Amino acid sequence: MIAKFPKSALLAFATVLAACTGVIGDGVDPGPTVDGPSAPTPPPAPAVGSTRVLRRLSKAEYTSSIRALITLVAPSEAEALQKALAPTLDRFPDDLLVAATHERRGGYHRLDQNVQQTHADIAYAVANEIGKQLTSSPARLQVVIGDCITGPDPEGCVAAFLRRFGEHVLRRPLTDADVTFYETPLSGGPASPEALADVIALLFAAPDVLYLIEREGGDGTVRKLSPYELANRLAFHFSETLPDEELFALARSGELAKEDVYAKQVDRLAQGPRARAIMDEFFHEWLRLDELERLDSRLGDRVFDAFVGTDTPTAELRGNMFADVLDAAAWVTAHGGTLRDLLQNRQSFARTPDVAKLYGVPVWDGVSEPPTFIEPSRAGLITRAAFLATASGNTRPVIKGVRIRMGLLCDNLPPPPPNAAGAHIDLSPTQTTRQVVEQLTESQGSSCPTCHATLINPLGFATENFDALGRFRSVQRLFDRFGNEVAERDVMTAAVSRVTPSDVRVAQDASDLVRYLVESKKVAPCFARNLFRFAMARNESDTDDAALLKALGDDAEQKPLADVFKSIALRPEFKSRVVKEGM
């Protein structure tokens, strides 16, 4: 264990850080929001218009960094060491999805800057466990610190180890004062395994391990990041882990500060082994895929069983639907496609028979040209199964409409009445889902039509020719409470979607709606806002961040997605820091 002061020091640094009227705009109009399904109350997101001096790493970033450090210091023992550390690392608190300040649905894990006692306790436990494991045998000691540990100058050997390995742990060079501090457990005594374990534990308990710390700069000033700080931002943006040796070498030499060198590193990391996983994370969170419930949760219900027929959902179906969306995004990006191409893509990326059967196409092999959807109205992103399925026998036009209005267009919606929040609409044995929704939410004499009739329902109705498993249909089958089919009703998809306030064209189906979304030029600025939140790990300010948001929105409207993801890292705002008073 780290003796005396280190735990208190770690805890100290941790405590320093802890009516219905709608608006359709061409950007974001901050204000009330639509409630979604019940969920833990998220912590507040970082303040807009400022860069935090201390940004806590997400659980994914922290755990991947620890594993990378273990591999770096003891590559031959890495597998065993990571297995020993896994139980402690797994106890690190999961991050919550934190939405923008005017939203209560969706969000990004990177925005969770909540600091709990558990964060400090687990970080402390991880540091101690690493110290214990790396010094558990003479052989490991020699691998980790070097053969010189048994020589005539063990303190000099430890100092060399700290300067060499500490640069990676703290993600910056150690000063003489740092080395002196981290050698404190030796205190002039013998370099015993216990004392060396404390040296290593003290190093891993440093605030720099859990936080991205960017130093210097006064209130309101703009400061270019140092080469090491640039390396950190690039590494965590593109790979969610610490800089690799190439980045460290360029930071150490100062070469990373050169524009051409920096641009080459952006290109390299954007094509790196972790880039696909980071892109998947962004699309998964932006498109709110986790809002889809487990599709096998209602098996055994007579109506649901009759509805699914032979397409019985398994526990894996939900994830397979997610994979179809993420593979679509990856394919479009890898093949030079734009955001518009992703919205309109009509290829199936179903790698499994269950999703392929719902689409009525062959299974995709993951390599060759993907098959094309059969139905013309399966017109792109919003007609993929993950956006249509509901874990019930009934579609959810309201949820679909809210998802498009807020998630793809960044329009603001006010909250529903308390008795309507998260309400599920049951199947009717006599009416289509659209008829039930219109009757409940568009009846005159209530406040509901203001939002539902113009802002929400029409967007959801456009895909009502797909059922609650994502299968194409021209009629809706109706069931009694015993699961007996009692009637069929024609499905109606036509509605005035009002993607923009002045657009009163009727969208006959999803094909028209997707075209109107593209023509509105609202999706690209919305995409830009969401990419900003993900990349910068904070909410945007329409004033302070206007230039960056405009540039990103223009890029998203015109450039290939691959270039858009790189462009934010090339912007001066990404390579500098502004500190607001109190941050």
Side-chain angles (χ1 to χ4, degrees):
M1 295 289 288
I2 305 174
K4 299 180 181 178
F5 61 89
K7 183 173 184 179
S8 62
L10 179 66
L11 298 181
F13 90 72
T15 55
V16 170
L17 306 168
C20 189
T21 55
V23 176
I24 312 179
D26 291 331
V28 171
D29 180 27
T33 61
V34 170
D35 284 329
S38 59
T41 301
V48 297
S50 60
T51 301
R52 287 186 174 270
V53 178
L54 295 174
R55 177 174 85 78
R56 179 178 65 77
L57 299 185
S58 68
K59 180 174 184 175
E61 291 171 331
Y62 176 72
T63 55
S64 65
S65 296
I66 293 296
R67 293 186 177 113
L69 289 167
I70 292 301
T71 302
L72 179 67
V73 73
S76 61
E77 304 262 9
E79 186 175 351
L81 288 166
Q82 290 180 10
K83 184 176 181 180
L85 278 170
T88 307
L89 278 174
D90 288 345
R91 289 164 47 212
F92 195 86
D94 292 329
D95 299 307
L96 296 177
L97 286 172
V98 176
T101 51
H102 61 284
E103 297 178 4
R104 293 175 66 185
R105 298 181 66 142
Y108 297 94
H109 289 110
R110 291 184 179 189
L111 286 173
D112 185 355
Q113 289 298 299
N114 189 31
V115 179
Q116 307 168 12
Q117 181 67 44
T118 310
H119 288 102
D121 289 345
I122 299 304
Y124 177 73
V126 167
N128 274 295
E129 186 64 28
I130 291 173
K132 173 186 172 183
Q133 292 294 331
L134 293 184
T135 60
S136 60
S137 69
R140 276 189 180 174
L141 266 176
Q142 289 186 315
V143 168
V144 171
I145 297 180
D147 293 338
C148 60
I149 194 62
T150 60
D153 184 18
E155 285 194 5
C157 186
V158 172
F161 160 75
L162 286 170
R163 291 189 185 278
R164 180 180 69 252
F165 183 56
E167 177 190 49
H168 294 274
V169 179
L170 305 186
R171 302 186 296 277
R172 62 171 176 82
L174 272 67
T175 64
D176 292 343
D178 289 329
V179 174
T180 299
F181 174 76
Y182 291 117
E183 283 187 316
T184 301
L186 298 180
S187 300
S192 65
E194 293 77 15
L196 293 171
D198 282 350
V199 169
I200 294 171
L202 185 56
L203 180 66
F204 274 88
D208 307 61
V209 177
L210 186 56
Y211 294 86
L212 279 177
I213 300 177
E214 294 171 352
R215 293 167 170 79
E216 303 174 3
D219 176 36
T221 63
V222 179
R223 180 182 69 84
K224 289 185 178 180
L225 298 180
S226 71
Y228 278 93
E229 291 167 344
L230 281 175
N232 289 330
R233 279 209 186 179
L234 279 180
F236 283 100
H237 175 57
F238 285 111
S239 58
E240 282 191 341
T241 192
L242 54 88
D244 59 16
E245 186 51 49
E246 184 171 336
L247 263 183
F248 265 122
L250 292 171
R252 195 179 300 122
S253 67
E255 289 289 300
L256 191 59
K258 296 180 179 179
E259 293 293 333
D260 59 333
V261 174
Y262 180 86
K264 287 180 181 178
Q265 289 302 304
V266 170
D267 286 338
R268 179 179 73 88
L269 293 170
Q271 299 173 32
R274 287 280 299 159
R276 166 66 196 270
I278 305 307
M279 190 179 299
D280 282 354
E281 180 184 351
F282 168 72
F283 279 112
H284 190 109
E285 294 179 355
W286 174 45
L287 299 174
R288 305 180 181 186
L289 296 184
D290 280 339
E291 291 184 3
L292 175 59
E293 302 169 76
R294 279 189 53 169
L295 295 168
D296 62 333
S297 60
R298 296 200 183 186
L299 288 177
D301 177 270
R302 285 178 287 189
V303 174
F304 183 72
D305 289 348
F307 161 72
V308 299
T310 60
D311 295 319
T312 305
T314 64
E316 293 73 33
L317 178 58
R318 177 176 182 260
N320 295 339
M321 288 181 176
F322 293 172
D324 169 58
V325 175
L326 300 180
D327 279 338
W331 176 273
V332 170
T333 302
H335 289 76
T338 63
L339 178 62
R340 175 179 299 194
D341 294 325
L342 175 61
L343 290 172
Q344 298 178 315
N345 181 274
R346 297 192 63 254
Q347 294 169 301
S348 167
F349 296 88
R351 295 175 183 256
T352 54
D354 49 4
V355 180
K357 183 181 179 185
L358 297 177
Y359 287 155
V361 297
V363 173
W364 181 48
D365 61 12
V367 179
S368 59
E369 187 74 15
T372 301
F373 294 135
I374 297 172
E375 303 89 10
S377 61
R378 198 180 291 275
L381 186 65
I382 63 172
T383 58
R384 293 191 179 278
F387 291 89
L388 304 168
T390 67
S392 76
N394 204 11
T395 56
R396 301 280 186 250
V398 172
I399 296 300
K400 290 187 292 184
V402 169
R403 199 174 188 182
I404 294 170
R405 181 66 68 189
M406 298 187 74
L408 295 183
L409 298 174
C410 286
D411 284 334
N412 176 52
L413 288 173
N419 62 344
H424 283 186
I425 298 174
D426 293 327
L427 275 170
S428 165
T430 59
Q431 295 178 300
T432 66
T433 301
R434 175 169 180 165
Q435 290 171 326
V436 173
V437 169
E438 288 176 329
Q439 182 175 310
L440 288 175
T441 66
E442 298 185 23
S443 299
Q444 296 304 311
S446 72
S447 61
C448 295
T450 307
C451 294
H452 282 274
T454 57
L455 308 182
I456 299 173
N457 295 354
L459 296 175
F461 292 154
T463 56
E464 277 298 284
N465 56 335
F466 299 97
D467 69 15
L469 274 180
R471 300 174 296 195
F472 177 78
R473 66 183 183 183
S474 57
V475 297
Q476 180 175 351
R477 295 183 297 146
L478 305 180
F479 302 90
D480 64 20
R481 63 190 181 90
F482 301 106
N484 300 309
E485 185 173 336
V486 294
E488 287 185 347
R489 296 284 186 270
D490 290 336
V491 172
M492 302 296 293
T493 59
V496 178
S497 56
R498 291 188 182 271
V499 173
T500 62
S502 60
D503 189 352
V504 294
R505 292 176 294 176
V506 173
Q508 295 295 335
D509 58 16
S511 299
D512 283 345
L513 178 56
V514 170
R515 180 160 53 86
Y516 298 166
L517 290 172
V518 169
E519 292 174 355
S520 73
K521 297 187 182 298
K522 290 178 64 176
V523 181
C526 185
F527 176 89
R529 287 181 180 275
N530 283 275
L531 180 59
F532 179 100
R533 296 166 191 168
F534 180 78
M536 305 298 282
R538 65 175 177 86
N539 282 324
E540 73 281 4
S541 164
D542 283 340
T543 52
D544 294 352
D545 300 311
L548 177 53
L549 291 171
K550 176 67 165 58
L552 281 177
D554 290 346
D555 286 347
E557 187 66 51
Q558 304 168 18
K559 294 183 178 180
L561 280 170
D563 291 342
V564 179
F565 279 102
K566 290 190 295 184
S567 68
I568 192 168
L570 295 170
R571 290 283 304 179
E573 295 90 342
F574 187 89
K575 298 185 284 182
S576 61
R577 173 168 81 81
V578 180
V579 180
K580 291 288 186 180
E581 185 176 357
M583 294 300 295

